[in-house]
Amino acid sequence: MEKRKKGGRNRFIALCITPAIALFVIFMIIPTIDVFRMSMFKWGGYTADKTFVGFSNFKSLFTNAKFYQAFQNSVLLIVIVTIVTFALAILFAAILTREKLKGQNFFRVVFYIPNILSVVVISAIFSAIYDPNLGLLNSFLGLFQGGEMENPILWLGSQKIVIYSVAIAMIWQAVGYYMVMYMASMANIPVSLYESASLEGAGRLIQFFQITLPLIWTNVRTTLTFFIISNINMSFLMVKAMTNGGPDGASSVFLSYMYQEAYTNSSYGYGMAIGVMVFLFSFALAAVINAVTKRDEVEF
């Protein structure tokens, strides 16, 4: 009787997970394998003519200055956007959780609004802000120059600052989402821990680093890994909508460069080689982040 129940339970579990496994294999495993396979071919993507070239696409990749520029921009965005986003999210979460402020729910909603907006809308907002002639940013800076700037700053047209302009838009979009997540984690920390620390003379800063941060570290570590990997995809969307990789490739990132080569320049095999490098880079980066942020879990 017990064997029959156990067998029925196993069949039920198998029936429940089979669709998920099938979808994962069809839409994740097979396409990933196909990317690796197609990176070995020279193919335009729209014809039946395919030529096996082995690792030739990768050799061309590592000698292409545009690839290194896209790589540099991607790493720069990962570092800047991640550090600033998480610093602000944790800071705002701590302030709204621990300080007795009026309208806390209002601030939660206001900070979260950018996350529910589409990338196109966010790009349009910041493109308008960055407009060299009528944009809010240049108009504000013009107040310190007598009302009008003689030489308007090209926020999206300068090779030196365009990537930082994109980074600001990405930070604005992401801060509120992670702030709300950390507020939920901080709300579960017993108030008695802070009261005991206060009685022992610990200030707010010490309490934050000795109590708050260690107790939410598991959440921070998990979200950090997911955010860094998703940053690669988000940077492509932002760049595509705001600058299309310009000027002269100064804002090009991994996926925008791959898209350009695969679908604009009809170098599909070369584009898939870039996709392989993005996959390997993401996997390696996730492993490094997990190793660096690993620490003993603190419980209360």
Side-chain angles (χ1 to χ4, degrees):
M1 188 67 176
E2 291 183 3
K3 291 183 178 181
R4 184 179 299 176
K5 288 183 178 180
K6 188 176 182 180
R9 181 174 178 273
N10 291 337
R11 286 191 294 272
F12 176 74
I13 294 175
L15 183 63
C16 290
I17 65 174
T18 296
I21 294 176
L23 291 174
F24 182 76
V25 171
I26 294 172
F27 294 104
M28 291 295 294
I29 301 299
I30 294 177
T32 301
I33 295 174
D34 196 53
V35 168
F36 278 83
R37 183 180 67 86
M38 291 309 304
S39 68
M40 301 290 182
F41 289 84
K42 182 179 180 181
W43 183 39
Y46 299 102
T47 64
D49 298 329
K50 298 179 185 177
T51 305
F52 182 79
V53 294
F55 292 98
S56 179
N57 287 326
F58 293 94
K59 292 179 181 178
S60 300
L61 191 66
F62 289 119
T63 57
N64 194 320
K66 292 184 178 180
F67 170 74
Y68 287 105
Q69 185 178 36
F71 176 80
Q72 179 181 344
N73 289 337
S74 295
V75 172
L76 185 65
L77 285 177
I78 289 173
V79 173
I80 293 177
V81 175
T82 301
I83 292 176
V84 177
T85 297
F86 276 71
L88 292 177
I90 294 174
L91 175 63
F92 293 151
I95 292 174
L96 292 177
T97 302
R98 296 218 55 206
E99 302 297 333
K100 294 182 179 179
L101 300 176
K102 293 183 179 180
Q104 287 188 357
N105 291 332
F106 171 77
F107 286 111
R108 290 186 186 186
V109 173
V110 169
F111 275 100
Y112 193 79
I113 285 177
N115 190 258
I116 64 177
L117 298 177
S118 69
V119 174
V120 175
V121 172
I122 294 173
S123 300
I125 292 173
F126 275 88
S127 294
I129 293 174
Y130 291 143
D131 187 279
N133 298 315
L134 302 175
L136 179 63
L137 191 53
N138 276 352
S139 298
F140 174 76
L141 295 176
L143 296 176
F144 300 96
Q145 299 182 9
E148 185 175 351
M149 298 185 69
E150 295 182 1
N151 298 309
I153 300 175
L154 304 177
W155 298 100
L156 298 178
S158 172
Q159 294 187 11
K160 293 183 178 180
I161 62 176
V162 62
I163 197 69
Y164 301 101
S165 300
V166 174
I168 292 173
M170 294 176 64
I171 292 168
W172 184 79
Q173 184 270 339
V175 166
Y177 175 77
Y178 291 95
M179 182 199 74
V180 172
M181 292 188 66
Y182 297 145
M183 287 182 68
S185 296
M186 293 178 187
N188 293 324
I189 300 176
V191 180
S192 58
L193 294 179
Y194 294 112
E195 293 175 347
S196 299
S198 297
L199 292 175
E200 294 179 4
R204 288 297 180 94
L205 193 61
I206 295 177
Q207 292 178 26
F208 174 79
F209 285 103
Q210 297 295 327
I211 298 176
T212 305
L213 196 56
L215 289 177
I216 68 169
W217 185 253
T218 301
N219 190 11
V220 172
R221 184 187 178 209
T222 302
T223 54
L224 181 63
T225 303
F226 283 110
F227 177 76
I228 290 177
I229 302 305
S230 65
N231 182 282
I232 296 175
N233 180 56
M234 182 56 67
S235 63
F236 162 67
L237 298 175
M238 285 290 186
V239 166
K240 189 65 178 176
M242 293 179 68
T243 66
N244 201 27
D248 195 25
S251 62
S252 177
V253 292
F254 267 146
L255 296 182
S256 66
Y257 179 54
M258 183 189 79
Y259 182 89
Q260 179 183 6
E261 293 296 329
Y263 300 105
T264 303
N265 297 339
S266 297
S267 300
Y268 193 81
Y270 182 74
M272 293 306 99
I274 301 172
V276 170
M277 296 308 302
V278 173
F279 175 83
L280 296 177
F281 175 77
S282 302
F283 187 82
L285 186 60
V288 170
I289 293 300
N290 276 319
V292 171
T293 59
K294 186 177 182 180
R295 59 189 296 178
D296 295 334
E297 187 174 347
V298 179
E299 299 179 353
F300 54 85

